[in-house]
Amino acid sequence: MPATRDAHGWFPAAAAVSAAGWGANQFTPLSMVYRAQRHWAAVPVASMFTTYLLGFLPALLLGGPAANRWGRRRVVRPALVLSAAASLLLATAALLQPLVYVSRLLTGVAAGLVLSAGTTWLQELSAASGSPDAGGRRATYATGGGFAAGALIAGVLTEWLPLPLLLPCLVHALLALALVHATRGLPETAVPRAVTVPEPGPARRRRCPFMHPRFIGVVLPAGPAVFAASTVAYVVLPPLVANRTLGYAPVFSGAVTALTLAVGIGVQPLAARLDHARSARATLVAMLTVIGGLLVSALAVHWNSAGLVLTAAVLLGAGYGLTLSSGLREIRRLAPPGTRASAVSLYHGVTYSGFLTPLLLAVTARSAPYPALLAGLAAIGLLCLMITAWHSRRHLP
């Protein structure tokens, strides 16, 4: 029995990571209810979605150092309490828009802390249980699965059970609090680290992957496409075909979200096969996929087709997964071993800039139709693709 318990000691940490993703993405189907029942405009709802980023990015960057200093458990468990509190606040915020902004901000802080400290904890617990190679895979599945499940389950609860703006939030809050209890006995895996003397300025710049020409020419042009692709799929498209999904708009939104993220997880093996250390082949394929998804998205909105939205979700989900994976592989080749953790966190900061896409589209939709805006995004993607192709075999690490 102890051996079995040790072998599965990583599971509560994985569940904690999933719960953080769940809390972050339950807002997506709820936003359909806000727009349909409360008649909230597109720009405020997109702003609420983007407010999450203001809490998420600082917490993502600070969560790792905080977990190194105070321990994984002391960061993850309070963050789960904060995630539950944010959901409870969201449950009471349906009639008062400012509270939704506060809830989204707190949700972002909680998710950033759990995803930075919790994924490290999960990988270290996996190594301690005798599966060191499984830690990264479990972290990927726990993160993506939480984001997908949160939207899908919230969509189902919102669609077919009473109290649509209350019940999904209560379910998540109870789950987060239950995991606070479940993780109390997990071992602490953080170890004290020796203080290192910073390198001189020029040497430090040479070792920083973000100063490398390959980062500027290959990774940076593709980085924002990671979450621009996914958020276009599940934030922008479902409301635009809401008149074709009357009676099941929230669950359709949740299903599109789950489909996008599930495809993003499913293409990870393909991303590994496409990767090549002597070229940017994987990144080029990823960007082509995103461009194709944006063009299908423009057609879906132009023809008001829910079926094409699902097709676009598959393409954009594949582009999201391929772009993220290829960028991470480039960063790991560019960054020295001692700086990889911080480099990966900063790279995630670059990718999360794509979360601004729904807000930018909502604002500019006042002067141009969505099909034209989506086609314009595809044109920008094509320009970035050309830049990446030019640098594909240059400045190899």
Side-chain angles (χ1 to χ4, degrees):
M1 184 65 70
T4 302
R5 189 163 53 245
D6 290 342
H8 298 282
W10 54 269
F11 186 78
V17 171
S18 293
W22 177 325
N25 248 15
Q26 67 179 341
F27 180 78
T28 305
L30 290 177
S31 66
M32 301 293 290
V33 183
Y34 293 141
R35 296 185 64 171
Q37 295 186 6
R38 307 298 178 189
H39 305 292
W40 291 0
V43 172
V45 172
S47 300
M48 294 168 189
F49 179 83
T50 307
T51 301
Y52 162 86
L53 196 64
L54 299 178
F56 180 82
L57 285 180
L60 183 71
L61 297 176
L62 297 175
N68 290 337
R69 180 172 182 178
W70 292 299
R72 321 304 190 208
R73 186 170 51 205
R74 290 184 178 179
V75 172
V76 170
R77 297 182 74 234
L80 288 172
V81 174
L82 182 61
S83 184
S87 284
L88 292 175
L89 182 61
L90 184 62
T92 65
L95 297 177
L96 193 59
Q97 288 191 17
L99 291 181
V100 181
Y101 289 98
V102 177
S103 171
R104 292 292 292 164
L105 181 67
L106 296 179
T107 297
V109 173
L113 292 173
V114 175
L115 293 184
S116 56
T119 53
T120 302
W121 199 16
L122 170 56
Q123 293 175 34
E124 292 169 347
L125 288 170
S126 297
S129 67
S131 303
D133 296 335
R137 183 174 65 252
R138 288 168 179 168
T140 298
Y141 291 157
T143 304
F147 280 113
L152 183 59
I153 294 174
V156 170
L157 295 176
T158 301
E159 186 67 53
W160 287 307
L161 291 179
L163 305 174
L165 295 175
L166 179 65
L167 188 59
C169 304
L170 293 180
V171 169
H172 173 258
L174 290 174
L175 172 66
L177 293 176
L179 288 170
V180 173
H181 177 76
T183 53
R184 76 190 190 287
L186 288 185
E188 179 55 68
T189 57
V191 294
R193 298 187 178 184
V195 177
T196 58
V197 178
E199 297 180 45
R204 188 165 63 249
R205 285 194 294 270
R206 285 197 299 270
R207 294 169 63 85
C208 177
F210 300 99
M211 299 291 185
H212 198 287
R214 188 164 181 84
F215 174 83
I216 297 172
V218 172
V219 180
L220 187 60
V226 174
F227 288 104
S230 61
T231 54
V232 164
Y234 63 75
V235 177
V236 175
L237 295 182
L240 297 177
V241 296
N243 62 332
R244 301 302 298 270
T245 59
L246 292 175
Y248 58 95
V251 75
F252 179 76
S253 173
V256 169
T257 305
L259 177 63
T260 303
L261 298 172
V263 172
I265 296 172
V267 298
Q268 299 298 314
L270 175 60
R273 288 196 292 271
L274 287 172
D275 184 64
H276 195 283
R278 310 300 297 176
S279 75
R281 179 176 64 187
T283 302
L284 294 174
V285 172
M287 295 179 73
L288 278 172
T289 308
V290 172
I291 292 168
L294 290 171
L295 293 175
V296 173
S297 300
L299 292 176
V301 177
H302 179 71
W303 289 334
N304 197 25
S305 170
L308 278 180
V309 166
L310 295 174
T311 304
V314 171
L315 288 172
L316 292 172
Y320 148 75
L322 292 172
T323 311
L324 178 62
S325 179
S326 63
L328 286 172
R329 292 173 187 278
E330 289 281 356
I331 287 292
R332 286 166 185 154
R333 281 193 287 267
L334 292 173
T339 66
R340 282 178 186 166
S342 58
V344 168
S345 294
L346 290 171
Y347 169 69
H348 280 300
V350 172
T351 64
Y352 275 97
S353 64
F355 261 85
L356 296 171
T357 305
L359 179 59
L360 294 175
L361 289 175
V363 171
T364 53
R366 297 169 177 173
S367 56
Y370 266 98
L373 294 174
L374 292 167
L377 280 182
I380 295 172
L382 182 60
L383 176 61
C384 293
L385 175 69
M386 294 169 63
I387 295 172
T388 301
W390 175 257
H391 292 89
S392 176
R393 298 181 183 275
R394 299 170 181 263
H395 309 295
L396 297 171

